[in-house]
Amino acid sequence: MLLSLFCGCGGLDIGLEKAELRVGLAYELRGSAVRSYNRNLGDGNVARVGDVRSLTLAKLDEDFGSVFQPRGVVGGPPCQSFSRANALRKAPDARSELVREFFSLALALHRRCELDFIIMENVPEVEQADGGRLLERELNRLRRAGFSVRKMHLNAINFGVAQSRERLFVTAVNRNKAAGTLRSPPIDKERRTVWDAIGGLPEPIHFAEVAKAGAPIHPNHWCMTPRSRRFSDGSLTPGYSRGRSFKTLAWDQPSPTVSYGHREVHVHPNCRRRLSVYEAMLLQGFPADVILDGTLSDQLSQVSEAVPPPLAEQVALAVTSALTGLADQVLPARQLSIQPPAEEAAFQLSA
């Protein structure tokens, strides 16, 4: 059983479940993301709206219904403070303190019940925060508490995701419980393309048509109504990448990093519209049966801030292999757990 902090809509935790790890409690500030999480994971009541800065062991026990003693703590503190896309990232930002809050709560639980492991995900730029001191202070705390610590720089494209997305994982394994070596997950040499992820899907409905349109193949297969003349004047071509607002995907290439907001949603390879939420989910490596709640903007934010589930699965398998000793044995070829896109109208549009 695990504690998941800053859980978002559950991308990280879907990957953990694929690796046969179960989350007992999860916390996230945004209600729409919590609703999405509970719709797709656990018993429908695992995730709670809550501020990690106010969580205490007593609050965890209250929400769990008994003394909460998880095996591990996982999560991805908000990364906007560190991301290269944040032009003001050198300015003081209270969100950077959430990294310390994450590890403080994890270590408080470790003192109570001796955790097996801790996993934190973030953008690589977190290593430069406060001149490198912010993260190094936390790693030293983990080492003093008895953990073997490893930083893994991983790109989702190497783990069955049709997207180039670089992330840093801090993985810490209890030295008293490890039976093997903590290694980076094996890379998949086969690269998935945009076509592999979303090729052959029918056209989505537009935002303006949701109220009157029939159900699409998936409740999240909807997109912004095309308004710019660029969608019709031939100025966009597959692979066009000048600027952020009209970055256009190419069928035979992986997608650039899925990071959406303020109408900066990648353009579909047909150049006539932006991606639907469902297409963005598939490019992020979500299983085809996952459904997100909230407004169009809410859903796009949930997708772009999520950890690609196939990547999370492989990190989880690397950690559990270190605990069991399997990491020091010859590993079999990696089996992807990605489902193909839905091809039939198997869902009803949610309210």
Side-chain angles (χ1 to χ4, degrees), residues 198-205 215-218 221-222 251 268 270 272-273 276 278-279 341-345:
I198 66 172
L201 289 176
E203 282 294 293
I205 58 174
I217 62 163
H218 187 283
H221 197 36
W222 61 327
W251 283 122
H268 188 276
N270 68 16
R272 297 193 300 269
R273 61 172 175 82
S276 74
Y278 182 52
E279 289 165 334
E343 297 181 353
E344 298 179 357

Side-chain angles (χ1 to χ4, degrees), residues 67-79:
V67 176
F68 187 54
Q69 300 186 68
R71 178 185 179 190
V73 176
V74 302
C79 63

Side-chain angles (χ1 to χ4, degrees), residues 220 222 275-282 292 296 299-300 303:
N220 300 122
W222 61 327
L275 294 173
S276 74
V277 177
Y278 182 52
E279 289 165 334
M281 291 165 64
L282 295 174
L292 301 183
L296 180 64
Q299 293 173 14
L300 288 168
V303 176

Side-chain angles (χ1 to χ4, degrees), residues 1 30 57 78 95 97 105 162 184-185 223 253 259 283 288 309 326 346:
M1 186 191 318
R30 292 164 302 167
L57 297 187
R95 291 174 298 186
E97 292 301 315
L105 185 55
S184 293
C223 67
Q253 299 294 324
S259 181
L283 290 169
L326 291 176

Side-chain angles (χ1 to χ4, degrees), residues 79 117 128 145 202 282 298 322:
C79 63
F117 64 87
Q128 280 75 56
L282 295 174
D298 288 339

Side-chain angles (χ1 to χ4, degrees), residues 231 236 246-249 265-269 271 273-275:
F231 292 120
L236 299 177
F246 289 92
K247 191 171 290 185
T248 307
L249 305 187
V265 178
H266 295 340
V267 178
H268 188 276
C271 304
R273 61 172 175 82
R274 298 187 188 276
L275 294 173

Side-chain angles (χ1 to χ4, degrees), residues 66-298:
S66 62
V67 176
F68 187 54
Q69 300 186 68
R71 178 185 179 190
V73 176
V74 302
C79 63
Q80 292 91 338
S81 302
F82 318 115
S83 172
R84 65 172 64 97
N86 179 11
L88 302 177
R89 63 181 179 274
K90 292 184 179 180
D93 191 329
R95 291 174 298 186
S96 64
E97 292 301 315
L98 295 176
V99 172
R100 180 172 179 80
E101 296 286 351
F102 171 85
F103 286 114
S104 292
L105 185 55
L107 290 173
L109 281 165
H110 181 59
R111 290 189 290 272
R112 169 193 273 189
C113 59
E114 194 172 359
L115 300 174
D116 289 359
F117 64 87
I118 300 169
I119 300 173
M120 187 201 77
E121 176 269 350
N122 218 289
V123 293
E125 288 80 7
V126 70
E127 288 188 284
Q128 280 75 56
D130 192 22
R133 292 181 290 272
L134 182 147
L135 187 58
E136 194 56 37
R137 283 193 296 265
E138 301 311 309
L139 301 188
N140 286 332
R141 293 173 74 195
L142 294 174
R143 295 181 184 112
R144 290 194 298 270
F147 290 93
S148 294
V149 180
R150 178 163 187 161
K151 294 186 290 185
M152 298 180 181
H153 289 261
L154 304 174
N155 192 321
I157 196 175
N158 293 321
F159 302 95
V161 180
Q163 175 195 172
S164 179
R165 186 184 189 89
E166 295 182 359
R167 285 298 183 267
L168 172 70
F169 286 83
V170 172
T171 50
V173 174
N174 189 330
R175 288 195 292 266
N176 293 331
K177 298 188 177 186
T181 305
L182 179 59
R183 303 181 189 277
S184 293
I187 289 175
D188 184 356
K189 295 181 180 179
E190 183 177 352
R191 299 290 178 87
R192 300 185 83 233
T193 66
V194 169
W195 176 265
D196 293 328
I198 66 172
L201 289 176
E203 282 294 293
I205 58 174
H206 295 151
F207 175 76
E209 300 168 347
V210 170
K212 61 181 180 180
I217 62 163
H218 187 283
N220 300 122
H221 197 36
W222 61 327
C223 67
M224 297 177 181
T225 303
R227 297 191 185 281
S228 172
R229 59 181 176 82
R230 291 195 180 190
F231 292 120
S232 58
D233 68 4
S235 62
L236 299 177
T237 58
Y240 177 97
S241 61
R242 190 177 304 166
R244 297 178 61 190
S245 295
F246 289 92
K247 191 171 290 185
T248 307
L249 305 187
W251 283 122
D252 61 350
Q253 299 294 324
S255 170
T257 300
V258 171
S259 181
Y260 301 143
H262 306 294
R263 294 189 176 273
E264 293 171 352
V265 178
H266 295 340
V267 178
H268 188 276
N270 68 16
C271 304
R272 297 193 300 269
R273 61 172 175 82
R274 298 187 188 276
L275 294 173
S276 74
V277 177
Y278 182 52
E279 289 165 334
M281 291 165 64
L282 295 174
L283 290 169
Q284 189 72 298
F286 275 88
D289 59 351
V290 169
I291 299 173
L292 301 183
D293 282 4
T295 65
L296 180 64
S297 178
D298 288 339

